Amino acid sequence: LLITGSMNVRNVEVVKNLYNQMPSPKVVVAVGICATSACVFAEAYNVLGGVDKVLPVDVYVLGCAVRPEALLDGILQAANVLDEKYRALRAGTTGKGEVPV
């Protein structure tokens, strides 16, 4: 799941539903400073903060605006994380000592 903006009250349920509907293993990529920390929107009344306040983030891609090579690097990192999670799922654990549901 690629998140490119800050989490606000209005979209948090939609993003959670999308995340819950994704098949396992899941990878969340926070792209840009707004998705990682909410940056200039952090003090807004309806902004909860970065995506990590709502979902477990696997890869952070920093920048405002994100450079193309940083985005490609983040996608490659996400592919590696997905591969590790898939191998752990096939082995019978989620990689954190948990048993998959």
Side-chain angles (χ1 to χ4, degrees):
L1 186 60
L2 205 73
I3 305 291
T4 59
S6 58
M7 287 275 102
N8 62 40
V9 175
R10 191 170 188 175
N11 68 8
V12 70
E13 288 301 319
V14 174
V15 172
K16 281 184 180 179
N17 285 338
L18 283 172
Y19 180 79
N20 290 332
Q21 291 174 7
M22 288 173 51
S24 291
K26 305 173 188 183
V27 174
V28 177
V29 181
V31 178
I33 197 70
C34 288
T36 58
S37 68
C39 193
V40 297
F41 305 109
E43 299 298 321
Y45 71 95
N46 65 335
V47 173
L48 300 173
V51 70
D52 57 353
K53 303 279 187 200
V54 179
L55 299 175
V57 176
D58 297 299
V59 178
Y60 292 93
V61 180
L62 301 179
C64 181
V66 175
R67 297 181 57 86
E69 58 270 17
L71 182 58
L72 288 174
D73 187 45
I75 291 171
L76 291 175
Q77 288 179 17
N80 289 337
V81 169
L82 185 63
D83 187 47
E84 290 172 12
K85 286 185 175 186
Y86 177 74
R87 290 175 193 267
L89 189 65
R90 297 275 293 176
T93 65
T94 59
K96 296 182 180 176
E98 302 170 1
V99 176
V101 179

